[in-house]
Structure formats: C-alpha cells, structure tokens
Amino acid sequence: MKDLTKLVHRPEVEVAGFSSLSVPTHRASTIVFPTAEAYAKRRLREPDGYAYGLDGTPTTRALEAQIAALEQGRRTMLLPSGQAAIALLFLTVLRPGDTVLIPDTVYPPVRALCANVLAHQGIAHRLYPSLTGRGIEDFIDGSVRLIWTESPGSGTMEVEDIPAIVDVARRRGLLVGCDNTWATPLLFKPLAAGVDFSVEALTKYAAGHSDVLLGSVTVRDLDWHARLRAMAKVMGIGVSPDDCALVLRGIETLGVRLAHIGRVSIGIAEALRDHPAVSRVLHPALAECPGHGFWKRDMSGASGVFSLALQPALDALLNEALADLRVFVIGGSWGGTRSLVAPMTVQGRLGGDPAGRLLRISIGLEDPDDLLEDLVGLLDRLLIAGNPAHS
C-alpha cells in the first residue's frame, strides 16, 4: 500500500480495555456497508439504525435515549433548535384543512409559523386563553387536529391546566403537544400527564452554557417517531454530533443547576414583590401568579425564568436604565450560567393581563446577593428617573 493510500486508510487499533465515562463524539456523513446487498437494503435500518450521517450517529442516539428516558417517552427526535422541533412537529401532524389551537401566551415565533407558513398551506390556527382549562372545548370544531400548550407561557408565565386539556382532547380524539422548556422533564413530565408530544429547547437548561442550539420532540407513540424522522429526512434536517456532545455534557449537571436556580429565582421574585417600581411579579411559584395552583399541583419545583411588570409610568425609562446593569446582561434565550434580562412586548392577548412590556429575567449561577442588588439597583434608578425630585 503506497503512502497516498495510507493517508486515507487508517490501520485498525485495539479498543478492548478502553472505557470512558464520556460519550464519544461520532462524526459522519457517509456510513459504509460490508456488502452491496447491505447497501441496497440500507433503508430497512430506519428509523433507529444508521444509513446516512443525516440520520444520526451513536452520539446523537445517546442523547435521544437520555432525553426519552427523562421524558418517559418511547423515542426522542433531535432537531437544530426548539423552534425547529415545533415546526417539524406541526408540519408532520397537520394537513390542509386542519386547525391547530395555540395559547395566546405562546412563543412569538410559533405564531409566526402559523400565520406565515402554515396558513399558506391551508392549515389554520386559533388562539385560546392560556387559563381556559376545560374551556378549551369551546374552541374546538371538526377541523381541529392538534392542541398546542406552552406552560408557563412566554413572558407572562401563566401555567396551563394540562390534565384538563388532555382530558378534553382524549374525548374528542385530538392530539396534544407541550413546550416543556421552562420546567424540563425534571420538574414536569408532559407525557405522563397524557400529552402526546413533549418538546424542549435543549439550547436552554439541558445544554446549560449558552453555546449550542438544539431541540427535541419526545413521543408516546412509535408511529409518530417514524413519521417525524421521515419528514426530517425529506427536508434534509439533521443535527451536529458535536452539539449533541455538548448537551450530553451539560445535562449531567442539570439537576444541581436547576435546583439552585429555582431556589434563587423564587427568593428574588419574593424580594421584588413590594418594590414601588414593580406593579406585578409573574413567577409561577408565587400565589398571585395566574395558574399558580396548577403549578403547585403538577410541577415539582421552579426553574429560573420569571417576569416583572413595571409601573406604567416607568416603562419609557427602562431602556436607558438597563445600560447600567453590572451582573445581568441583556440577551435572548435563557438557561445558561449567566443571568439575563430581556424586555418583552406582550401582544394579542385575549383579555388577559398584563398588557404592554415586561422585563423577563433569567437567573444564572452568580451569587444571589449580587443578582438581587443589581435588580434592586435597576428598579431604584427607574424610580429616581421617574421622580427627579426624590433623587
């Protein structure tokens, strides 16, 4: 064998006796086969086997299996982001003439998906109030195929009555999906509550370090897993094994991170309740938060995301005041080690409060006293700017 051949044909090395605690990162585009017959029958390996790199590698399968076990589901499908997971699910489940019900607190890109993509395919959507519970039946007609839930809701933090929605859906023969990113399967298991599809933006708490984008759909029914994989395949959607390796590493500390972040978020939310710059603290663990009773009944704890509604007169001063934060930084997403704030505009509510802008807060791993001091300083600056005579 000549040198140029030796450059691309590696010798076999002994692996017996090598045992590592970390999952190896298997990268591949091409999967090779021992015979022409095996290659001709490669599609028989789907959906769980290996036929092409786009379908996954042992690294992606390891993460899929771990998420499925945590979610108590049959299989998990990985996607490039949480929004990609929702989009693939909707495109797989819904057909022209169908309607999907979405809560009025839903993640804004989900609304955009429905209005700007699905609508052009003859798929309708209808908003329902996030606290409707069994009242979801009033929004159902013969075209409804899927009820989508997001609990708590983006920004406004209402917790939905998932078991009541599932009960109505079962009687009407409908499917239910849930965005479980806030709670993660450590705090709530949608599939155990009867939901058909549990979606997570693994970008956030599972990855935990603000350096990777990944999403997941976990299913109760193996048939839906096969359909999701088939749809992803024809759309050319796959995930990077390097991203999966980062999430596999991050998820090992998810339990301790989430427990700490949850405790700190509750303590800070309680401390900010009575600040004169705040009109309302929206945190599912607080009794006054809409849906608190459902959170207390269905979830085993809190994560680190909640929102502040400011006194209306102070809203116009918020942007300038945010520039002086010392510990928090302004940014989208959440769930990493750094604490974030993000001003959010609430739109399209069906008569619910609050209206206008909210300040969404994501608690990270900094010292709780530093975090509270930074937020109180922000609120104090707003009061001073709004009442110069008191400066």
Side-chain angles (χ1 to χ4, degrees), residues 188-235:
F188 180 56
K189 299 188 188 298
L191 301 184
V195 170
D196 298 284
F197 310 103
S198 180
V199 169
E200 272 193 86
L202 302 176
T203 303
K204 298 180 170 66
Y205 284 123
H209 293 79
S210 306
D211 58 0
V212 63
L213 292 165
L214 212 63
S216 65
V217 184
T218 305
V219 301
R220 291 160 48 94
D221 187 328
L222 283 176
D223 181 59
W224 281 117
H225 174 253
R227 294 191 198 186
L228 288 165
R229 282 210 180 278
M231 177 64 81
K233 189 174 190 66
V234 299
M235 295 179 70

Side-chain angles (χ1 to χ4, degrees), residues 241-263:
D242 294 273
D243 290 343
C244 293
L246 287 172
V247 177
L248 283 164
R249 184 180 64 178
I251 207 170
E252 292 187 9
T253 61
L254 175 59
V256 292
R257 285 189 287 108
L258 199 63
H260 170 79
I261 287 169
R263 286 193 301 269

Side-chain angles (χ1 to χ4, degrees), residues 9-15:
H9 287 251
R10 289 175 296 276
E12 296 288 336
V13 297
E14 182 60 59
V15 296

Side-chain angles (χ1 to χ4, degrees), residues 158-216:
E158 293 97 331
V159 179
E160 296 194 58
D161 189 351
I162 302 292
I165 291 174
V166 167
D167 183 61
V168 172
R170 289 290 164 266
R171 288 192 288 101
R172 300 294 294 265
L174 306 178
L175 296 163
V176 181
C178 178
D179 184 333
N180 196 40
T181 303
W182 185 89
T184 83
L186 297 188
L187 304 180
F188 180 56
K189 299 188 188 298
L191 301 184
V195 170
D196 298 284
F197 310 103
S198 180
V199 169
E200 272 193 86
L202 302 176
T203 303
K204 298 180 170 66
Y205 284 123
H209 293 79
S210 306
D211 58 0
V212 63
L213 292 165
L214 212 63
S216 65

Side-chain angles (χ1 to χ4, degrees), residues 360-376:
R360 188 182 68 190
I361 296 168
S362 171
I363 298 299
L365 297 181
E366 301 93 342
D367 188 279
D369 291 339
D370 288 338
L371 294 175
L372 181 58
E373 180 182 351
D374 207 25
L375 289 174
V376 170

